[in-house]
Coordinates of all heavy atoms in Angstrom, one line a residue:
M1 N 2.2 -22.9 -12.1 CA 1.3 -23.1 -11.0 C 1.9 -22.5 -9.7 O 3.0 -22.6 -9.4 CB 1.1 -24.6 -10.8 CG 0.1 -24.9 -9.7 SD -0.1 -26.7 -9.3 CE -1.2 -27.1 -10.7
T2 N 1.0 -21.8 -9.0 CA 1.4 -21.1 -7.8 C 1.2 -22.0 -6.6 O 0.1 -22.6 -6.5 CB 0.6 -19.8 -7.6 OG1 0.8 -19.0 -8.8 CG2 1.0 -19.1 -6.4
T3 N 2.2 -22.1 -5.8 CA 2.0 -22.9 -4.6 C 1.4 -22.1 -3.4 O 1.4 -20.9 -3.5 CB 3.4 -23.5 -4.1 OG1 4.1 -22.4 -3.6 CG2 4.1 -24.2 -5.2
A4 N 0.9 -22.8 -2.4 CA 0.3 -22.1 -1.3 C 1.4 -21.2 -0.6 O 1.1 -20.1 -0.1 CB -0.3 -23.1 -0.3
E5 N 2.6 -21.7 -0.6 CA 3.7 -20.9 0.0 C 3.9 -19.6 -0.7 O 4.1 -18.6 -0.2 CB 5.0 -21.8 0.1 CG 6.1 -21.1 0.8 CD 7.3 -22.0 1.0 OE1 7.3 -22.8 1.9 OE2 8.2 -21.9 0.1
Q6 N 3.9 -19.7 -2.1 CA 4.1 -18.5 -2.9 C 3.0 -17.5 -2.7 O 3.2 -16.3 -2.6 CB 4.2 -18.9 -4.4 CG 5.5 -19.6 -4.7 CD 5.4 -20.2 -6.2 OE1 4.4 -20.7 -6.6 NE2 6.5 -20.1 -6.9
T7 N 1.8 -18.0 -2.7 CA 0.6 -17.2 -2.4 C 0.7 -16.5 -1.1 O 0.4 -15.3 -1.0 CB -0.7 -18.0 -2.5 OG1 -0.8 -18.6 -3.8 CG2 -1.9 -17.1 -2.3
E8 N 1.1 -17.2 -0.1 CA 1.2 -16.6 1.3 C 2.3 -15.5 1.3 O 2.1 -14.5 1.8 CB 1.5 -17.7 2.3 CG 1.7 -17.2 3.7 CD 0.5 -16.4 4.3 OE1 -0.6 -16.6 3.9 OE2 0.8 -15.5 5.2
F9 N 3.4 -15.8 0.6 CA 4.5 -14.9 0.6 C 4.1 -13.6 -0.1 O 4.4 -12.5 0.3 CB 5.7 -15.5 -0.1 CG 6.8 -14.5 -0.3 CD1 7.7 -14.2 0.7 CD2 7.1 -13.9 -1.5 CE1 8.7 -13.3 0.6 CE2 8.1 -13.0 -1.7 CZ 8.9 -12.7 -0.6
L10 N 3.3 -13.7 -1.2 CA 2.9 -12.5 -2.0 C 1.8 -11.8 -1.4 O 1.7 -10.6 -1.6 CB 2.6 -13.0 -3.4 CG 3.7 -13.5 -4.3 CD1 3.3 -14.1 -5.6 CD2 4.8 -12.5 -4.5
S11 N 0.8 -12.5 -0.8 CA -0.4 -11.7 -0.4 C -0.7 -11.9 1.1 O -1.6 -11.3 1.6 CB -1.6 -12.2 -1.2 OG -1.8 -13.6 -1.1
G12 N 0.0 -12.8 1.8 CA -0.3 -13.0 3.2 C -0.1 -11.7 4.1 O 0.9 -11.0 3.9
G13 N -1.0 -11.4 4.9 CA -0.9 -10.3 5.8 C -1.4 -9.0 5.2 O -1.4 -8.0 5.9
L14 N -1.7 -9.0 3.9 CA -2.2 -7.7 3.3 C -3.6 -7.4 3.8 O -4.4 -8.2 3.9 CB -2.2 -7.9 1.8 CG -0.9 -7.9 1.1 CD1 -1.1 -8.3 -0.4 CD2 -0.2 -6.6 1.1
R15 N -3.7 -6.1 4.2 CA -5.0 -5.6 4.7 C -5.5 -4.4 3.9 O -4.7 -3.6 3.5 CB -4.9 -5.2 6.2 CG -4.4 -6.3 7.1 CD -5.5 -7.3 7.3 NE -5.0 -8.4 8.1 CZ -4.7 -9.6 7.7 NH1 -4.8 -9.9 6.4 NH2 -4.3 -10.5 8.5
P16 N -6.8 -4.3 3.7 CA -7.3 -3.1 2.9 C -7.0 -1.8 3.7 O -7.1 -1.8 5.0 CB -8.8 -3.4 2.8 CG -9.0 -4.7 3.3 CD -7.8 -5.2 4.1
H17 N -6.6 -0.8 3.0 CA -6.4 0.5 3.6 C -6.9 1.5 2.7 O -6.6 1.6 1.5 CB -4.9 0.8 3.9 CG -4.7 2.1 4.5 ND1 -5.0 2.4 5.8 CD2 -4.3 3.3 3.9 CE1 -4.7 3.7 6.0 NE2 -4.3 4.2 4.9
E18 N -7.8 2.4 3.2 CA -8.3 3.5 2.3 C -7.5 4.8 2.6 O -7.4 5.2 3.8 CB -9.8 3.7 2.7 CG -10.5 4.6 1.7 CD -12.0 4.6 1.9 OE1 -12.6 3.6 1.7 OE2 -12.5 5.7 2.4
C19 N -7.0 5.4 1.6 CA -6.2 6.6 1.8 C -7.1 7.7 2.4 O -8.2 7.9 1.8 CB -5.6 7.1 0.4 SG -4.7 8.6 0.5
R20 N -6.7 8.4 3.4 CA -7.5 9.4 4.0 C -7.5 10.7 3.2 O -8.4 11.5 3.4 CB -6.9 9.7 5.4 CG -7.0 8.5 6.3 CD -6.4 8.7 7.6 NE -6.6 7.5 8.5 CZ -6.2 7.4 9.7 NH1 -5.5 8.4 10.2 NH2 -6.4 6.2 10.3
S21 N -6.7 10.8 2.2 CA -6.7 12.0 1.4 C -7.7 11.9 0.2 O -8.4 12.8 0.0 CB -5.3 12.3 0.8 OG -5.3 13.4 0.0
C22 N -7.6 10.7 -0.5 CA -8.5 10.6 -1.7 C -9.4 9.4 -1.7 O -10.3 9.3 -2.5 CB -7.6 10.5 -2.9 SG -6.7 9.0 -3.1
G23 N -9.3 8.5 -0.7 CA -10.2 7.4 -0.6 C -9.8 6.2 -1.4 O -10.5 5.2 -1.4
T24 N -8.7 6.3 -2.1 CA -8.2 5.1 -2.9 C -8.0 3.9 -1.9 O -7.3 4.1 -0.9 CB -7.0 5.4 -3.7 OG1 -7.3 6.4 -4.7 CG2 -6.4 4.2 -4.4
C25 N -8.5 2.7 -2.3 CA -8.2 1.6 -1.5 C -7.1 0.7 -2.0 O -7.1 0.4 -3.2 CB -9.5 0.7 -1.4 SG -9.4 -0.6 -0.2
V26 N -6.1 0.4 -1.2 CA -5.0 -0.5 -1.5 C -4.9 -1.6 -0.5 O -5.6 -1.5 0.5 CB -3.7 0.3 -1.6 CG1 -3.7 1.4 -2.7 CG2 -3.3 0.9 -0.2
L27 N -4.1 -2.6 -0.8 CA -3.8 -3.6 0.2 C -2.4 -3.3 0.7 O -1.5 -3.0 0.0 CB -3.9 -5.0 -0.5 CG -5.2 -5.4 -1.0 CD1 -5.1 -6.7 -1.8 CD2 -6.3 -5.4 0.0
V28 N -2.3 -3.4 2.1 CA -1.0 -3.0 2.7 C -0.6 -4.0 3.7 O -1.4 -4.6 4.4 CB -1.3 -1.6 3.5 CG1 0.0 -1.2 4.2 CG2 -1.7 -0.5 2.5
K29 N 0.7 -4.2 3.8 CA 1.3 -5.0 4.9 C 2.5 -4.2 5.4 O 3.4 -3.8 4.6 CB 1.7 -6.4 4.4 CG 2.4 -7.2 5.5 CD 2.8 -8.5 5.0 CE 3.4 -9.4 6.1 NZ 3.9 -10.6 5.6
K30 N 2.6 -4.0 6.6 CA 3.8 -3.3 7.3 C 4.7 -4.4 7.8 O 4.4 -5.1 8.8 CB 3.4 -2.4 8.4 CG 2.8 -1.1 8.0 CD 3.7 -0.2 7.3 CE 4.9 0.3 8.2 NZ 5.9 1.1 7.4
N31 N 5.7 -4.8 7.0 CA 6.6 -5.8 7.4 C 7.5 -5.4 8.5 O 8.0 -6.2 9.3 CB 7.5 -6.2 6.2 CG 6.6 -6.8 5.1 OD1 5.9 -7.8 5.3 ND2 6.6 -6.1 4.0
S32 N 7.8 -4.1 8.6 CA 8.6 -3.5 9.7 C 8.2 -2.0 9.6 O 7.5 -1.5 8.7 CB 10.1 -3.7 9.5 OG 10.6 -2.9 8.4
I33 N 8.8 -1.2 10.6 CA 8.5 0.3 10.5 C 9.0 0.8 9.2 O 8.4 1.7 8.6 CB 9.2 1.0 11.7 CG1 8.5 0.6 13.0 CG2 9.2 2.5 11.6 CD1 7.0 1.0 13.1
Q34 N 10.2 0.3 8.7 CA 10.8 0.9 7.5 C 10.2 0.3 6.2 O 10.2 0.9 5.2 CB 12.3 0.6 7.5 CG 13.0 1.3 8.6 CD 13.0 0.5 9.9 OE1 12.6 -0.7 9.9 NE2 13.4 1.1 11.0
H35 N 9.6 -0.9 6.2 CA 9.2 -1.6 5.0 C 7.7 -1.8 5.0 O 7.1 -2.3 5.8 CB 9.9 -3.0 4.9 CG 9.5 -3.7 3.7 ND1 8.7 -4.8 3.7 CD2 9.9 -3.5 2.4 CE1 8.6 -5.3 2.5 NE2 9.3 -4.5 1.6
T36 N 7.2 -1.2 3.9 CA 5.7 -1.3 3.6 C 5.5 -2.0 2.3 O 6.1 -1.5 1.3 CB 5.1 0.1 3.6 OG1 5.4 0.7 4.8 CG2 3.6 0.0 3.4
S37 N 4.6 -3.0 2.2 CA 4.2 -3.6 1.0 C 2.9 -3.0 0.6 O 1.9 -3.1 1.4 CB 4.1 -5.1 1.1 OG 5.4 -5.7 1.3
I38 N 2.7 -2.5 -0.6 CA 1.5 -2.0 -1.1 C 1.1 -2.7 -2.4 O 1.9 -2.8 -3.3 CB 1.6 -0.4 -1.3 CG1 1.9 0.3 -0.1 CG2 0.3 0.1 -1.9 CD1 2.2 1.8 -0.2
Q39 N -0.1 -3.1 -2.4 CA -0.6 -3.8 -3.7 C -1.9 -2.9 -4.1 O -2.8 -2.9 -3.3 CB -1.0 -5.2 -3.4 CG -1.4 -6.0 -4.7 CD -1.6 -7.4 -4.4 OE1 -2.5 -7.8 -3.7 NE2 -0.7 -8.2 -4.9
W40 N -1.8 -2.3 -5.2 CA -2.9 -1.5 -5.7 C -4.0 -2.4 -6.2 O -3.7 -3.4 -6.9 CB -2.4 -0.6 -6.8 CG -1.5 0.5 -6.3 CD1 -0.2 0.4 -6.0 CD2 -1.9 1.8 -6.0 NE1 0.3 1.6 -5.5 CE2 -0.7 2.5 -5.5 CE3 -3.1 2.5 -6.1 CZ2 -0.7 3.8 -5.1 CZ3 -3.1 3.9 -5.7 CH2 -1.9 4.5 -5.2
T41 N -5.2 -2.1 -5.9 CA -6.4 -2.8 -6.4 C -7.0 -2.2 -7.6 O -8.0 -2.7 -8.1 CB -7.4 -3.0 -5.3 OG1 -7.8 -1.7 -4.9 CG2 -6.8 -3.7 -4.1
S42 N -6.4 -1.1 -8.1 CA -6.8 -0.4 -9.3 C -5.6 0.2 -9.9 O -4.5 0.2 -9.3 CB -7.8 0.7 -8.9 OG -7.2 1.6 -8.0
R43 N -5.8 0.8 -11.1 CA -4.7 1.5 -11.7 C -4.5 2.8 -10.9 O -5.4 3.6 -10.8 CB -5.0 1.8 -13.2 CG -4.9 0.6 -14.1 CD -5.0 1.0 -15.5 NE -4.0 1.9 -15.9 CZ -4.2 3.2 -16.5 NH1 -5.4 3.6 -16.8 NH2 -3.1 3.9 -16.8
P44 N -3.3 3.1 -10.4 CA -3.1 4.3 -9.6 C -3.5 5.6 -10.3 O -4.1 6.4 -9.7 CB -1.6 4.2 -9.3 CG -1.2 2.8 -9.4 CD -2.1 2.2 -10.4
A45 N -3.2 5.7 -11.6 CA -3.5 6.9 -12.3 C -5.0 7.1 -12.5 O -5.4 8.2 -12.7 CB -2.8 6.9 -13.7
D46 N -5.8 6.1 -12.3 CA -7.2 6.2 -12.4 C -7.9 6.6 -11.1 O -9.0 7.1 -11.1 CB -7.8 4.9 -12.9 CG -7.5 4.5 -14.3 OD1 -7.1 5.4 -15.1 OD2 -7.7 3.3 -14.7
T47 N -7.2 6.3 -10.0 CA -7.9 6.5 -8.7 C -7.2 7.5 -7.7 O -7.8 8.0 -6.8 CB -8.1 5.2 -7.9 OG1 -6.8 4.5 -7.8 CG2 -9.1 4.3 -8.7
C48 N -5.9 7.7 -7.9 CA -5.1 8.5 -7.0 C -4.7 9.8 -7.7 O -4.1 9.8 -8.8 CB -3.8 7.8 -6.6 SG -2.6 8.8 -5.7
P49 N -5.2 11.0 -7.2 CA -4.9 12.2 -7.8 C -3.4 12.5 -8.0 O -3.0 13.2 -9.0 CB -5.6 13.3 -6.9 CG -6.6 12.5 -6.1 CD -6.0 11.1 -6.0
V50 N -2.6 12.1 -7.0 CA -1.1 12.4 -7.1 C -0.6 11.6 -8.4 O 0.2 12.2 -9.1 CB -0.4 11.9 -5.8 CG1 1.1 12.0 -6.0 CG2 -0.8 12.8 -4.7
F51 N -0.9 10.4 -8.5 CA -0.5 9.6 -9.7 C -1.1 10.2 -11.0 O -0.4 10.3 -12.0 CB -0.8 8.2 -9.6 CG 0.2 7.4 -8.8 CD1 0.1 7.3 -7.4 CD2 1.2 6.7 -9.4 CE1 1.0 6.6 -6.7 CE2 2.1 5.9 -8.7 CZ 2.0 5.9 -7.3
A52 N -2.3 10.6 -10.9 CA -3.0 11.2 -12.1 C -2.4 12.5 -12.6 O -2.3 12.8 -13.8 CB -4.5 11.4 -11.8
D53 N -1.9 13.3 -11.6 CA -1.3 14.6 -11.9 C 0.2 14.6 -12.1 O 0.8 15.6 -12.3 CB -1.6 15.6 -10.8 CG -3.1 15.9 -10.6 OD1 -3.9 15.7 -11.6 OD2 -3.5 16.3 -9.6
S54 N 0.8 13.4 -12.2 CA 2.2 13.3 -12.3 C 2.8 13.7 -13.6 O 3.9 14.1 -13.7 CB 2.7 11.8 -12.0 OG 2.3 11.0 -13.1
G55 N 1.9 13.7 -14.6 CA 2.4 14.2 -15.9 C 3.2 13.2 -16.7 O 3.7 13.5 -17.8
G56 N 3.4 12.0 -16.2 CA 4.2 11.0 -16.9 C 3.7 9.6 -16.5 O 2.6 9.5 -15.8
P57 N 4.4 8.6 -16.9 CA 4.0 7.2 -16.5 C 4.0 7.0 -15.0 O 4.9 7.4 -14.3 CB 5.0 6.4 -17.2 CG 5.7 7.2 -18.2 CD 5.6 8.6 -17.7
S58 N 2.9 6.5 -14.5 CA 2.7 6.3 -13.1 C 3.8 5.3 -12.5 O 4.1 5.4 -11.4 CB 1.3 5.9 -12.7 OG 1.0 4.7 -13.3
A59 N 4.3 4.5 -13.4 CA 5.3 3.5 -13.0 C 6.6 4.2 -12.5 O 7.4 3.6 -11.8 CB 5.6 2.5 -14.1
L60 N 6.8 5.4 -12.9 CA 8.0 6.1 -12.5 C 7.9 6.7 -11.1 O 8.9 7.1 -10.6 CB 8.3 7.2 -13.5 CG 8.6 6.8 -15.0 CD1 8.8 8.0 -15.9 CD2 9.8 5.8 -15.0
L61 N 6.7 6.8 -10.5 CA 6.5 7.3 -9.2 C 6.8 6.1 -8.2 O 6.3 5.0 -8.4 CB 5.1 7.8 -9.0 CG 4.8 9.1 -9.7 CD1 3.4 9.5 -9.4 CD2 5.7 10.2 -9.3
D62 N 7.5 6.4 -7.1 CA 7.8 5.4 -6.1 C 6.5 5.1 -5.3 O 6.1 3.9 -5.2 CB 8.9 5.9 -5.2 CG 9.2 4.9 -4.1 OD1 9.3 3.7 -4.5 OD2 9.5 5.3 -3.0
T63 N 5.8 6.1 -4.9 CA 4.6 6.0 -4.1 C 3.9 7.3 -4.0 O 4.5 8.4 -4.4 CB 4.8 5.4 -2.7 OG1 3.5 5.0 -2.2 CG2 5.5 6.4 -1.8
C64 N 2.8 7.4 -3.5 CA 2.1 8.6 -3.2 C 2.4 9.1 -1.8 O 2.1 8.3 -0.8 CB 0.5 8.4 -3.4 SG -0.4 9.9 -2.8
P65 N 2.9 10.2 -1.6 CA 3.3 10.7 -0.2 C 2.0 10.8 0.7 O 2.1 10.6 1.9 CB 4.0 12.0 -0.4 CG 3.7 12.4 -1.8 CD 3.3 11.2 -2.6
K66 N 0.9 11.1 0.1 CA -0.3 11.2 0.9 C -0.8 9.9 1.4 O -1.2 9.7 2.5 CB -1.4 11.9 0.1 CG -1.1 13.4 -0.1 CD -2.2 14.1 -0.9 CE -1.8 15.5 -1.2 NZ -2.9 16.2 -1.9
L67 N -0.6 8.8 0.5 CA -1.0 7.5 0.9 C 0.0 7.0 2.0 O -0.4 6.4 3.0 CB -0.9 6.5 -0.3 CG -1.1 5.1 0.0 CD1 -2.5 4.8 0.6 CD2 -1.0 4.2 -1.3
A68 N 1.3 7.3 1.8 CA 2.3 6.9 2.8 C 2.0 7.6 4.2 O 2.1 6.9 5.2 CB 3.7 7.3 2.3
D69 N 1.6 8.8 4.2 CA 1.2 9.5 5.4 C 0.0 8.8 6.0 O -0.1 8.7 7.3 CB 0.9 11.0 5.2 CG 2.1 11.8 4.9 OD1 3.3 11.3 5.1 OD2 2.0 12.9 4.4
S70 N -1.0 8.5 5.2 CA -2.2 7.8 5.7 C -1.9 6.5 6.3 O -2.4 6.1 7.4 CB -3.2 7.6 4.5 OG -4.4 7.0 4.9
I71 N -1.0 5.7 5.7 CA -0.6 4.4 6.3 C 0.2 4.6 7.6 O -0.1 3.9 8.6 CB 0.3 3.6 5.2 CG1 -0.6 3.2 4.1 CG2 1.0 2.4 5.9 CD1 0.2 2.7 2.9
G72 N 1.1 5.6 7.6 CA 1.8 6.0 8.8 C 0.8 6.3 10.0 O 1.0 5.9 11.1
D73 N -0.2 7.1 9.7 CA -1.2 7.5 10.7 C -1.9 6.2 11.2 O -2.1 6.1 12.4 CB -2.2 8.4 10.1 CG -1.7 9.8 9.8 OD1 -0.6 10.2 10.3 OD2 -2.4 10.6 9.0
A74 N -2.2 5.3 10.3 CA -2.9 4.1 10.7 C -2.0 3.2 11.6 O -2.5 2.6 12.6 CB -3.4 3.3 9.5
V75 N -0.8 3.2 11.4 CA 0.2 2.5 12.2 C 0.2 3.1 13.6 O 0.1 2.5 14.6 CB 1.6 2.4 11.6 CG1 2.6 1.9 12.6 CG2 1.6 1.5 10.3
R76 N 0.4 4.4 13.6 CA 0.5 5.2 14.9 C -0.8 5.0 15.7 O -0.7 4.9 17.0 CB 0.8 6.6 14.7 CG 2.2 6.9 14.3 CD 2.5 8.4 14.2 NE 1.9 9.0 13.1 CZ 2.4 8.9 11.8 NH1 3.5 8.2 11.6 NH2 1.8 9.5 10.8
E77 N -1.9 4.9 15.1 CA -3.2 4.8 15.8 C -3.5 3.3 16.2 O -4.5 3.1 16.9 CB -4.4 5.3 14.9 CG -4.3 6.8 14.6 CD -5.2 7.3 13.5 OE1 -5.9 6.4 12.9 OE2 -5.1 8.5 13.2
G78 N -2.7 2.4 15.6 CA -2.9 1.0 16.0 C -4.0 0.3 15.1 O -4.3 -0.8 15.4
T79 N -4.4 0.9 14.0 CA -5.4 0.3 13.2 C -4.7 -0.5 12.1 O -5.4 -1.3 11.4 CB -6.4 1.3 12.5 OG1 -5.6 2.3 11.8 CG2 -7.2 2.0 13.6
L80 N -3.4 -0.4 11.9 CA -2.6 -1.2 11.0 C -1.4 -1.7 11.8 O -0.6 -0.9 12.2 CB -2.2 -0.4 9.8 CG -1.4 -1.1 8.7 CD1 -2.3 -2.2 8.1 CD2 -1.0 -0.2 7.6
A81 N -1.3 -3.0 11.9 CA -0.2 -3.6 12.7 C 1.1 -3.7 11.9 O 1.1 -3.9 10.7 CB -0.6 -4.9 13.3
V82 N 2.2 -3.6 12.6 CA 3.5 -3.9 12.0 C 3.9 -5.3 12.3 O 3.8 -5.8 13.5 CB 4.6 -2.9 12.6 CG1 6.0 -3.3 12.0 CG2 4.2 -1.5 12.4
A83 N 4.2 -6.1 11.3 CA 4.4 -7.5 11.4 C 5.5 -7.9 12.4 O 5.3 -8.9 13.1 CB 4.7 -8.2 10.0
D84 N 6.6 -7.1 12.5 CA 7.7 -7.5 13.4 C 7.5 -7.0 14.8 O 8.3 -7.1 15.6 CB 9.0 -7.1 12.8 CG 9.3 -5.6 12.9 OD1 8.4 -4.8 13.3 OD2 10.4 -5.2 12.5
G85 N 6.3 -6.5 15.0 CA 5.9 -6.2 16.4 C 6.0 -4.7 16.7 O 5.7 -4.2 17.7

């Protein structure tokens, strides 16, 4: 059984973000400038061209650099907040 505290820890603060490169929607939380939590709402290889073109298991990729750039742009523009301020 999942407690409310566990649910908040795992999903609290996650916000939808659409990649500006391919339109894939993920849930994102910027815990700090250095730390980003990303929760995919679909199989990455089905919706992200970078993962689809990787030629191997998508689990071996750390992240999509285009998605990371898109998230960084959203932080700089103020449309995605950093939790630690």
